[in-house]
Amino acid sequence: MKPDLRAKILGVELGNPTILASGIMGVSGAACCYAAKNGAGAVIPKSIGPKEREGHANPVLVEFDKGFLNAVGLPNSGVDNSLGEIEFAMKNSGVPVIPSLFGGTKEEFGMVAEKLDTLRPQLIEVNLSCPNTQDDFGLAFALSEKDAGEVIKLVKSKVRAKVIAKLAPNVPDIKTIARAVEKAGADAITAVNTMPGMAIDAKTGNPLLHNKQGGISGPALRPIAVNCIYEIYKAVNIPIIGAGGVTHGEDAAEMIMAGAAAVEIGTGIYYRGIDVFRKVSGELEQLMAENGYATIKEMTGVSHR
Amino acid sequence: MKMERPQIAAIKRVEEEADGIKTIFLNSSMKARHGQFIMLWLPRIDEKPFAVSYASKGEIGITVAAVGPFSEKLSLMRAGEKIGVRGPYGRPYTLAKGNLVMIGGGYGSASLAMLAEEAARKMTRVKFILGARSKSRLVYVERIKRLIGEENLTITTDDGSAGRKGLVTDALKEMIAREKIDKIYACGPDKMLKAVASIGHEAGIPGEISMERYMKCGFGLCGHCCVDPIGIRLCVEGPVIDFGTAMQVKELGLYHRLKSSRKEAI
């Protein structure tokens, strides 16, 4: 029998478990639709903030031998200008659209979330990996259980949508942060955002990213992500969406077996083309058939047995 | 192995094309084709896309007009200075057989001059319509004449300071009325591209345009150059697109996206 590739997250049904990750491609509603047309089971547009931001100068993305480094700098047209783009994707993509949001303060998160919620998305993802501008060191919200929890609590109070907290991998114990956001009311967790990294041009000594430092994505991030998912699965009772270096069907299976209900794909678009979603789904389906899995749910968390 | 990161290259020489328009030649083993672009990096300043305007063994050329802070710095650079380069990126033109018309607006004719080179090598007949605001802004005139013959070049300027006064599209319409054209190629300002694609589409003549939008990564990940409403990435599925696709790109001639992604009317 053909395996059932459908994934369900908080009651929202996806035709397949691959989701366009926030930060890659989804600048516009049309770009999100293009990913959906190429097989994505759901799409997460680029994170939207309180006001227009240009992001960093180029280069914003550079490759290394096991992945990419990025510091795009959260460019976006601001929440008011972005609502039309999200609406376009919701109307035309044919798949669930999960708006992603960020802020520099808790209040900004709350304000953006409230505005996005007027579009009645079923799910929203909270990007906690941006710096807290009120913190003395500009520490990212995702690095502090207190900050992460407070943001989620405030966002929850502003929206009808179910709230997904996107966590950062570079913390001493990701279980603590996961428990904090669960306690604050998060309905699900995305694990993980990129890992801090840097690359330097050896001929001139110049950092290659204009922002000098950035985040690692792609194959190098995958084992880190799988480990985080495995840890979080043990710590909380809410669903997990895996993210980090999924490029092939086996990678998706790995994350699902560690505990993910679905997986996000971003950098994989570079390695396998925009139809990476369709390719990964096809490979996952075959892997499931060969190994006797009928559903994604059945495969979720099997490595914990 | 090709890695998506800038490689440091030396500037070989700089040539003046027209008023304030220069071509910078770099030592590079890159094999770039017409319609493709490369990213040039000035460390700690920025990195921007440039259409390849010359490519031969061991060297590559891009033509730059000083229009902003980046291109101003770039056009002041001299032979021997170093710059970061990566690419080439994007889909080239597809050279057809038969009677071809190429339409270049402003220094948008860079990629078409390279296409004309391939046509000349293959003995394909080319008529070139070269347009600019005024005589001093015309580029590649001698280069194109050498490739296709003076009699096949029509020059138009907005102010009539060279060639005929008027738009490239006026010359195109006359050509379509006069003879059978097998394929049209165009590169230049957005509104010109929209007009050319519409004229060609209506006349049932196939063609390709090279479209320009704000690009960041250049290799299909950042999504900044996705066009409405079909969402294709101009850095990968373009920048050269056929007339059929161009007619689907509703933003052509109407708006583009700024660095933030906010839309701005053209």
Side-chain angles (χ1 to χ4, degrees), chain A residues 143-198:
Chain A
L143 304 186
S144 143
E145 53 179 295
K146 182 173 167 283
D147 284 350
E150 284 174 9
V151 168
I152 295 299
K153 197 173 171 193
L154 182 64
V155 169
K156 275 295 286 182
S157 74
K158 302 279 186 191
V159 301
R160 281 200 235 172
K162 298 272 174 58
V163 175
I164 307 167
K166 186 170 184 178
L167 304 188
N170 48 316
V171 290
D173 179 15
I174 196 142
K175 294 194 295 295
T176 318
I177 310 281
R179 284 195 199 102
V181 296
E182 183 187 40
K183 199 172 157 224
D187 300 290
I189 286 171
T190 293
V192 288
N193 213 313
T194 57
M195 188 80 187
M198 188 171 181

Side-chain angles (χ1 to χ4, degrees), chain A residues 25 52 58 63 206 270, chain B residues 4 44 216 221 260 262:
Chain A
M25 276 295 287
E52 184 175 3
N58 244 4
E63 192 182 9
N206 286 309
Y270 176 79
Chain B
E4 304 293 2
R44 296 167 199 265
K216 290 184 178 177
L221 274 183
S260 70
R262 183 164 55 83

